[in-house]
């Protein structure tokens, strides 16, 4: 029987890999397996197992040969020789060797991997998993150790099959959890196995948590030294994250049972804070990932996600997690950049949408006396001075979260924006740590004067968060004037908005001078400054008026939209700024009103250039990306994507801004239609027709004026309608028509309008026919019910007649019986019968006549309805189908009874 199994497996592998394995190796493995299976002496069998393990661990050919024949024999030894510990240990070690890849010289990618194939074959063996799990209860150390290694190998290549098998085995997870309390080597193997086992396996996660996983995990972490521990701490935190990821129930259980103190303890720095090796960095990143999962609250589909997230935030703040995050992300200079970024993202998640946490962050001060400053100032300093793009993105995320739904916080930050003299604005940031938040921000916003556009655009990103959806802040910042250099314009001050537009033009000119600069680190300067302008102008007419005070601004934006050398993102954002100058324009000054803006756009580049600006594609790509997607961005990458848009834009241009721009698109189209639909200006010239002619009477003059006014009114209405139609067509098509296409376009539009009217009329007729059909069908149902009632009455009359016939028959039978008995005194039976029949006939004829009259009336109604239904296309026979079947069946039943 065993040899049959061996030959079967050999055939399976032969189909997969052909006959490349030499016959010598096959025969050698087969002899060893025969000794193991059929040997009489235990020592000889153990020696055969040792030899087999040695050759399998060194050669892929022997791995293939063993996989073809050896698994059934080895599993039978594990079942039958359980008491022989040395033999069981040798079998398990051989299985480990058969499942472990042998890294020799690199072969082709299509080469068969014996270890992977053996893993698949072993996982398909019946009762293999249950047998291995039962071996975990053995006392021998190596038996448990090798068993865990085999399970880990199976899980690596066949995770789904192993997860399903373990769930069906009683106490399967419990045995694995018990291994966490075993000796260190076995504990580490069990921890690694559970880490792989709990990935995307919700049922296994529940059982693991129920078996006390949280207590055991934090107990191991404390034993290993928290963040200073080795790779075991990393495995524990990875297992913890698997249990908490998108699982609100497990998060609640952790919070209510073990608590979060042990997690906070991992973030606490000890001893020499500058001693950060690679493993400690990974451990801290894993712990910060746990904090991030708790701040997320659970999966998006979980209805209790928001409540759980808020509870987690409250608990973490009570445990002073913000202090530890500020040390890791902001204060400590020895922490690696990756930990800085992860900690700052956690700070952003902690304060997002929570006014109390925002106030707490604003009240925090860092440093030691006398060099102390608010935490927000330190974060801003990091944002402006860091050389790491990821660190800039993380710091910017804090300000974005701080200003989100926090009007008081925005007002507080805006109140610090007080301009200083030119000399102070151009001092180095590190010279004065006591500078206010607004002073640092304004100083960076004016550094573009010295060519430092990157620092300027970083400050512009922070300013856009402060101004977002806050009209008072927009108007306050609008009044800020920046002192110009003494040698420029005789030192006249310049508005901050005008300065930002100036830097936008400088960035464009730098790109035009050096074609390669579009792929440099400064390629995101223009989009971020344009983002600031879009946020600033949104729903703020005074900002639009200030922007249009300088006529070159409009001209420059129009040129920027039409400049094909710019990226799609830049041209699209410039078009949005132009659109905002239309929809939020409340000016009545000639040359600055909405009509003048639309007219200038139409004359220079055409409205279609604004309507079809290629910004939506960039928006979609930006909103789809996440901060995690650019964590490992290679700054030297020269791919095509980076040539179009800098990777940093995928994080700075958040989903809120993308949705704002998309909503503005519809408003811009609608406003353009409205602008074209109204007259440009009132006509102040008095035509000669309005003057009274000599010799003309007053009555004639009034009539002529009335006719002139009516004519003018008609022409004005025609022009207004024509402008509205043209604007609507332009907004819909997004493209201009050539002169030779206009005639055909007009005729096509007339045909389309005619077809639309015909379709509307046909739809109305169809609705009327449907309503009439429904009415006729309801009447048909009503008459069908009446016919049924009439048939029921007829049936009852028939029953009465049959009853009378039965009574008559009974009387005749009685009379015949009496006659046979010789009673001659009875009256004539024939006369009695005739008299009774005559009376019954008279009575039934009256009722029958009434019934026939009713039936005749109903028949005429049915015929009229049938004719009407035929006109409407209905199948009359189908509608009347089934009527009278019940009555016919009842009568047939009665006839059968009578026959009996």
């Amino acid at each position: 029987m065993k040899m049959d199994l061996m030959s079967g497996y050999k055939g399976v592998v032969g189909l997969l890999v052909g006959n490349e394995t030499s016959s010598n190796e096959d025969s050698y493995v087969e002899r060893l397996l025969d000794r193991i299976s059929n040997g009489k002496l235990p020592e000889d069998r153990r020696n055969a197992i040792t030899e087999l393990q040695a050759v399998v661990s060194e050669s892929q050919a022997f791995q293939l040969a063993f996989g073809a024949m050896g698994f059934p024999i080895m599993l039978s030894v594990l079942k039958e020789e359980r008491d022989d510990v040395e033999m069981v240990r040798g079998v398990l070690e051989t299985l480990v060797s058969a499942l472990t890849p042998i890294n020799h010289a690199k072969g082709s990618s299509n080469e068969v991997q014996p270890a992977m194939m053996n893993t698949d074959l072993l996982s398909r063996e019946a009762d293999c998993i249950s047998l291995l799990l039962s071996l975990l209860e053995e006392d021998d150390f190596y038996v448990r150790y090798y068993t865990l290694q085999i399970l880990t190998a199976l899980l690596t290549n066949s995770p789904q099959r192993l997860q399903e098998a373990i769930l069906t085995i009683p106490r399967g997870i419990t045995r694995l959890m018990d291994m966490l309390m075993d000796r260190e080597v076995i504990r580490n193997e069990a921890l690694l196995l559970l880490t792989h086992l709990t990935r995307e396996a919700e049922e296994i996660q529940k059982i693991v948590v129920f078996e006390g996983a949280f207590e055991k995990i934090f107990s191991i972490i404390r034993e290993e030294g928290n963040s200073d521990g080795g790779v075991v701490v990393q495995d524990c935190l990875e297992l913890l994250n698997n249990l908490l990821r998108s699982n609100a129930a497990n998060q609640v259980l952790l919070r209510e049972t073990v608590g979060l103190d042990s997690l906070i303890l991992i973030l606490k720095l000890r001893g020499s804070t500058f001693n950060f090796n690679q493993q400690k960095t990974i451990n801290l990143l894993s712990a910060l990932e746990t904090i991030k999962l708790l701040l997320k609250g659970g999966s998006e589909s979980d209805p209790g996600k928001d409540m759980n997230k808020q509870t987690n935030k409250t608990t973490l703040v009570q445990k002073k997690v913000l202090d530890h995050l500020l040390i890791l992300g902001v204060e400590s200079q020895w922490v690696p950049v990756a930990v800085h970024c992860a900690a700052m993202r956690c700070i952003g998640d902690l304060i997002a949408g929570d006014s109390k946490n925002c106030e707490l962050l604003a009240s925090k001060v860092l440093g030691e006396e006398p060099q102390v400053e608010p935490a927000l100032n330190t974060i801003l300093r990091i944002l402006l001075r860091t050389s790491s793009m990821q660190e800039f993105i993380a710091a910017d995320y804090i300000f974005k979260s701080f200003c989100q739904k926090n009007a008081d916080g925005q007002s507080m930050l805006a109140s610090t924006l007080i301009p200083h003299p030119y000399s102070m604005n151009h001092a180095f940031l590190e010279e004065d740590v006591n500078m206010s938040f607004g002073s640092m921000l304004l100083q960076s916003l004016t550094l573009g004067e010295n060519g430092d556009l990157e620092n300027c655009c970083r400050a512009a990103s922070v300013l856009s968060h402060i101004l977002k959806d806050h009209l008072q802040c927009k108007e306050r910042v609008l009044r800020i004037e920046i002192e110009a250099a003494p040698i420029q314009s005789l030192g006249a001050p310049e508005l901050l908005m005008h300065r930002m537009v100036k830097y936008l033009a400088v960035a464009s000119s730098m790109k035009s001078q050096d074609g390669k600069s579009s792929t440099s680190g400064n390629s995101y300067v223009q989009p971020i400054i344009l983002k600031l302008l879009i946020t600033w102008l949104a729903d703020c007419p005074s900002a639009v008026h200030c922007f249009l005070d300088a006529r070159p601004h409009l001209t420059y934006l129009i040129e920027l939209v039409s400049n094909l050398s710019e990226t799609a993102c830049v041209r699209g954002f410039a078009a949005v700024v132009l659109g905002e100058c239309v929809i939020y324009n409340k000016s009545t000054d000639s040359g600055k009103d909405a009509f003048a803006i639309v007219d200038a756009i139409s004359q220079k580049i055409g409205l279609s250039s604004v309507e079809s600006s290629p910004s939506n594609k960039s928006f979609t790509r930006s909103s789809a990306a996440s901060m995690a997607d650019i964590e490992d961005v290679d700054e030297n990458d020269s791919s095509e994507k980076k040539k179009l848009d800098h990777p940093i834009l995928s994080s700075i241009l958040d989903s809120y801004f993308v949705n704002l721009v998309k909503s503005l698109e519809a408003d811009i189209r609608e406003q353009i239609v409205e602008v074209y639909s109204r007259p440009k200006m009132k006509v102040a010239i008095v035509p000669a027709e309005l003057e009274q002619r000599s010799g003309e009477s007053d009555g004639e003059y009034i009539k002529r004026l009335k006719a002139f006014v009516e004519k003018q009114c008609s022409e004005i209405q025609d022009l207004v309608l024509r402008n509205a139609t043209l604007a609507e067509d332009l907004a819909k098509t997004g493209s201009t028509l050539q002169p030779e296409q206009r005639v055909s376009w007009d005729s096509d539009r007339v045909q389309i309008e005619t077809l639309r009217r015909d379709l509307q009329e046909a739809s109305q007729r169809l609705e009327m026919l449907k309503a009439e059909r429904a009415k006729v069908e309801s009447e048909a149902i009503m008459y069908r019910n009446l016919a049924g009632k009439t048939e029921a009455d007829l049936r009852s009359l028939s029953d009465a007649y049959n009853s009378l016939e039965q009574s008559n028959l009974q009387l005749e039978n009685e009379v015949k019986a009496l006659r046979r008995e010789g009673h001659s005194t009875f009256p004539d039976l024939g006369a009695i019968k005739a008299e009774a029949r005559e009376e019954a006939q008279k009575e039934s004829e009256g009722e029958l006549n009434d019934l026939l009259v009713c039936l005749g009336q109903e028949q005429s109604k049915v015929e009229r309805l049938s004719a009407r239904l035929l006109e409407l296309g209905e199948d009359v026979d189908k509608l009347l189908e089934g009527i009278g079947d019940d009555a016919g069946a009842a009568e047939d039943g009665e006839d059968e009874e009578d026959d009996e």
Side-chain angles (χ1 to χ4, degrees):
M1 181 66 179
K2 293 180 180 178
M3 296 306 296
D4 292 340
L5 290 173
M6 289 163 53
S7 60
Y9 269 81
K10 186 175 181 180
V12 172
V13 178
L15 290 175
L16 293 174
V17 300
N19 297 320
E20 296 180 2
T21 306
S22 67
S23 59
N24 292 333
E25 293 159 345
D26 286 344
S27 60
Y28 184 68
V29 170
E30 189 171 353
R31 287 197 304 272
L32 291 176
L33 290 173
D34 183 65
R35 287 171 56 189
I36 296 171
S37 177
N38 302 321
K40 302 300 182 183
L41 298 175
E43 188 65 28
D44 181 60
R45 298 176 69 189
R46 284 193 286 268
N47 292 335
I49 293 174
T50 303
E51 293 179 26
L52 182 61
Q53 188 274 331
V55 296
V56 169
S57 63
E58 296 177 356
S59 171
Q60 290 186 350
F62 281 107
Q63 282 187 334
L64 281 173
F66 174 79
M69 300 176 281
F71 288 129
I73 295 175
M74 291 299 187
L75 292 178
S76 67
V77 173
L78 292 178
K79 293 177 183 177
E80 299 169 2
E81 305 295 339
R82 193 71 169 262
D83 295 334
D84 193 335
V85 177
E86 187 176 352
M87 189 178 297
V88 170
R89 185 190 302 171
V91 169
L92 292 173
E93 189 176 2
T94 305
L95 291 176
V96 171
S97 300
L99 303 180
T100 303
I102 299 175
N103 296 323
H104 289 317
K106 218 172 189 183
S108 64
S109 58
N110 297 327
E111 185 178 350
V112 175
Q113 300 296 326
M116 186 178 298
M117 188 172 62
N118 289 345
T119 302
D120 184 70
L121 291 173
L122 180 59
S123 64
R124 296 177 185 274
E125 285 288 339
D127 300 329
C128 168
I129 307 301
S130 60
L131 176 61
L132 291 173
L133 289 176
S134 66
L135 291 173
L136 293 176
E137 297 178 349
E138 295 293 328
D139 295 331
D140 186 75
F141 168 80
Y142 287 101
V143 169
R144 301 196 304 276
Y145 179 67
Y146 291 143
T147 301
L148 287 173
Q149 285 189 321
I150 294 171
L151 289 172
T152 303
L154 292 175
L155 184 62
T156 303
N157 295 321
S158 303
Q160 189 71 25
R161 196 173 299 149
L162 185 63
Q163 288 172 357
E164 293 175 356
I166 289 179
L167 285 174
T168 59
I169 298 172
R171 299 189 70 254
I173 301 295
T174 305
R175 293 170 186 169
L176 293 176
M177 292 297 297
D178 292 340
M179 295 296 101
L180 293 179
M181 297 294 102
D182 209 316
R183 295 166 61 178
E184 183 176 354
V185 177
I186 293 180
R187 180 201 68 185
N188 297 344
E189 284 292 332
L191 185 62
L192 190 62
L193 176 62
L194 286 169
T195 301
H196 288 85
L197 199 60
T198 52
R199 289 175 183 168
E200 301 179 0
E202 187 174 354
E203 293 300 324
I204 295 179
Q205 292 174 6
K206 293 178 181 178
I207 300 174
V208 170
V209 171
F210 181 76
E211 293 291 338
F214 292 141
E215 294 86 349
K216 296 175 181 177
I217 287 173
F218 284 113
S219 175
I220 297 173
I221 292 176
R222 283 192 297 270
E223 291 177 5
E224 294 291 324
N226 291 307
S227 62
D228 293 319
V231 70
V232 176
V233 175
Q234 177 186 348
D235 293 337
C236 286
L237 290 172
E238 186 176 353
L239 174 59
L240 178 63
N241 292 339
N242 288 345
L243 299 177
L244 298 180
R245 186 174 289 108
S246 301
N247 197 322
N250 286 351
Q251 293 181 12
V252 173
L253 193 61
L254 171 65
R255 190 177 64 238
E256 301 296 336
T257 56
V258 180
L260 303 180
D261 293 312
S262 299
L263 178 61
I264 303 299
L265 200 61
I266 302 174
L267 300 176
K268 187 176 181 179
L269 298 179
R270 297 174 181 79
S272 301
T273 56
F274 55 84
N275 184 19
F276 274 88
N277 53 33
Q278 183 179 6
Q279 188 57 56
K280 184 173 183 178
T281 301
I282 295 175
N283 292 344
L284 285 173
L285 288 175
S286 299
L288 291 171
E289 175 68 17
T290 307
I291 298 292
K292 182 178 179 181
L293 292 175
L294 292 173
L295 293 175
K296 186 178 180 181
S299 63
E300 297 294 336
S301 59
D302 193 339
K305 172 194 169 185
D306 294 335
M307 181 179 297
N308 183 55
K309 178 171 66 174
Q310 189 59 41
T311 306
N312 288 342
K313 282 186 178 182
T314 304
T315 306
L316 287 170
V317 170
Q318 292 173 353
K319 303 297 181 183
K320 308 294 184 183
V321 70
L322 183 58
D323 295 335
H324 297 288
L325 292 176
L326 286 172
I327 293 174
L328 290 174
V330 181
E331 192 170 12
S332 177
Q333 299 179 0
W334 308 106
V335 176
V337 173
V339 178
H340 268 308
C341 297
M344 284 194 285
R345 291 190 191 107
C346 288
I347 294 174
D349 292 335
L350 185 66
I351 65 175
D354 194 312
S355 58
K356 293 183 179 179
N357 291 348
C358 289
E359 294 175 3
L360 180 63
L361 176 62
S363 65
K364 292 290 182 180
V365 291
L366 303 178
E368 298 180 358
E369 292 291 346
Q371 302 293 329
V372 295
E373 67 176 346
L376 289 176
N377 291 24
T378 308
I379 297 171
L380 178 62
R381 192 183 304 276
I382 292 174
L383 180 145
L384 297 174
R385 295 174 56 182
T386 182
S387 59
S388 169
M389 283 295 117
Q390 284 73 33
E391 198 168 11
F392 159 57
I393 293 170
D396 185 80
Y397 180 65
I398 292 180
F399 289 110
K400 171 193 169 184
S401 301
F402 182 83
C403 296
Q404 180 180 349
K405 300 180 181 179
N406 184 21
D408 294 337
Q410 291 173 281
S411 300
M412 183 268 292
L413 295 179
S415 65
T416 64
L417 294 171
I418 301 175
H420 291 279
Y422 178 84
S423 58
M424 183 177 295
N425 281 339
H426 288 72
F428 291 106
L429 288 175
E430 54 267 20
E431 290 182 0
D432 187 4
V433 296
N434 295 320
M435 290 180 67
S436 67
F437 180 91
S439 299
M440 277 195 291
L441 193 63
L442 286 177
Q443 183 190 53
S444 299
L445 287 172
T446 57
L447 286 179
E449 198 76 22
N450 299 330
D452 191 358
L453 291 177
E454 182 177 356
N455 205 288
C456 175
C457 88
R458 291 184 181 186
S461 179
V462 177
L463 182 59
S464 66
H465 297 315
I466 298 175
L467 301 182
K468 181 172 63 178
D469 294 334
H470 201 302
L471 184 60
Q472 289 76 17
C473 288
K474 293 178 181 179
E475 294 180 347
R476 181 188 184 95
V477 178
L478 202 60
R479 297 190 291 269
I480 294 178
E481 294 182 344
I482 305 298
E483 183 178 346
I487 59 175
Q488 295 179 356
S489 304
L490 300 178
E494 185 179 13
L495 290 174
L496 178 61
M497 174 177 282
H498 294 180
R499 181 68 65 89
M500 298 312 299
V501 180
K502 176 182 177 181
Y503 293 155
L504 180 65
V506 170
S508 180
S509 63
M510 290 175 62
K511 286 173 60 177
S512 62
Q513 293 173 6
D514 182 8
K516 296 182 180 179
S517 63
S518 61
T519 61
S520 67
N522 292 333
S523 63
Y524 58 88
V525 171
Q526 286 179 287
I528 291 182
I529 296 178
L530 285 169
K531 175 193 174 184
L532 171 62
L533 293 177
I534 292 172
T535 306
W536 204 340
L537 298 181
D539 203 18
C540 186
S542 57
V544 173
H545 183 77
C546 177
F547 179 82
L548 295 175
D549 275 344
R551 183 67 182 178
H553 292 174
L554 180 62
T555 304
Y556 168 68
L557 275 184
I558 293 175
E559 293 176 353
L560 194 60
V561 173
S562 59
N563 189 355
L564 298 180
S565 64
E566 296 290 350
T567 64
C569 184
V570 171
R571 293 166 56 204
F573 286 177
V576 174
V577 175
L578 286 176
E580 287 182 318
C581 292
V582 176
I583 61 179
Y584 299 120
N585 193 326
K586 306 299 180 184
S587 175
T588 57
D589 299 340
S590 176
K592 294 182 181 180
D593 59 349
F595 195 97
I597 304 302
V598 174
D599 193 41
I601 297 172
S602 177
Q603 291 178 2
K604 294 185 178 181
I605 60 175
L607 291 177
S608 60
S609 299
V610 178
E611 296 285 348
S612 59
S613 294
S615 57
N616 285 342
K617 183 176 179 181
S618 299
F619 299 160
T620 305
R621 181 172 64 252
S622 299
S623 61
S626 63
M627 294 181 67
D629 295 334
I630 65 164
E631 190 164 353
D632 300 320
V633 170
D634 183 3
E635 304 235 356
N636 296 321
D637 183 21
S638 59
S639 63
E640 184 67 22
K641 178 180 177 181
K642 190 168 182 179
K643 291 180 181 179
L644 295 176
D645 292 314
H646 197 281
I648 199 173
L649 296 179
S650 60
S651 296
I652 298 300
L653 305 180
D654 53 17
S655 59
Y656 167 83
F657 181 72
V658 172
N659 294 331
L660 170 65
V661 173
K662 287 184 177 180
S663 65
L664 286 174
E665 181 183 358
D667 296 337
I668 292 171
R669 293 178 184 273
E670 183 178 350
Q671 188 66 22
I672 289 176
V673 172
E674 182 180 350
V675 169
Y676 262 103
S677 300
R678 69 170 186 258
K680 180 177 180 181
M681 62 183 68
K682 296 181 180 179
V683 179
I685 302 175
V686 179
E689 288 82 354
L690 298 182
E691 298 178 359
Q692 188 173 7
R693 298 170 184 174
S694 59
E696 186 178 25
S697 63
D698 292 340
E700 294 176 349
Y701 178 56
I702 292 173
K703 289 182 179 180
R704 187 167 57 81
L705 286 180
K706 182 178 179 181
F708 177 78
V709 170
E710 290 177 351
K711 179 181 178 183
Q712 291 290 97
C713 182
S714 176
E715 292 178 356
I716 290 173
Q717 291 295 328
D718 291 341
L719 288 174
V720 169
L721 292 176
R722 180 174 176 271
N723 283 340
T725 303
L726 289 175
E728 289 176 358
D729 292 342
L730 181 61
K732 291 177 181 177
T733 59
S735 60
T736 56
L737 295 176
Q738 299 296 329
E740 60 270 11
Q741 294 175 318
R742 292 178 181 174
V743 177
S744 63
W745 168 251
D746 291 339
S747 62
D748 291 342
R749 191 172 58 185
V750 171
Q751 293 179 2
I752 293 172
E753 190 64 29
T754 304
L755 291 175
R756 186 181 294 113
R757 285 198 300 267
D758 294 342
L759 179 60
Q760 187 176 4
E761 293 176 0
S763 300
Q764 292 176 354
R765 287 198 302 270
L766 182 60
E767 292 297 330
M768 291 175 59
L769 290 175
K770 286 182 178 179
E772 188 174 354
R773 173 186 170 183
K775 181 179 178 182
V776 171
E777 287 181 350
S778 62
E779 290 179 357
I781 293 173
M782 181 184 67
Y783 287 125
R784 190 186 305 165
N785 295 335
L786 289 176
K789 182 180 178 182
T790 304
E791 289 184 0
D793 294 340
L794 182 59
R795 195 181 303 116
S796 63
L797 182 60
S798 177
D799 293 341
Y801 183 78
N802 291 333
S803 177
L804 184 60
E805 287 288 340
Q806 290 176 1
S807 299
N808 189 20
L809 182 60
Q810 185 178 0
L811 290 174
E812 287 181 354
N813 293 334
E814 291 178 358
V815 169
K816 290 179 180 178
L818 291 174
R819 283 182 177 177
R820 283 195 298 269
E821 293 176 359
H823 296 281
S824 59
T825 59
F826 288 96
D828 186 12
L829 179 61
I832 295 174
K833 180 178 179 181
E835 184 178 356
R837 185 175 297 168
E838 184 178 358
E839 290 178 357
Q841 188 174 2
K842 289 181 180 179
E843 183 179 354
S844 61
E845 281 180 356
E847 295 182 359
L848 189 59
N849 289 334
D850 295 339
L851 180 61
L852 291 175
V853 172
C854 293
L855 286 175
Q857 295 176 352
E858 298 302 324
Q859 181 64 28
S860 62
K861 293 180 180 179
V862 169
E863 290 175 354
R864 293 177 60 187
L865 287 174
S866 298
R868 183 56 180 165
L869 287 173
L870 287 174
E871 294 178 2
L872 294 175
E874 292 292 337
D875 190 351
V876 179
D877 295 335
K878 186 176 181 180
L879 288 174
L880 298 179
E881 186 178 358
I883 298 178
D885 291 348
D886 296 340
E891 290 178 359
D892 293 342
E894 292 173 0
D895 293 340
E896 291 176 358
E897 292 178 359
D898 293 342
D899 295 339
E900 292 177 356

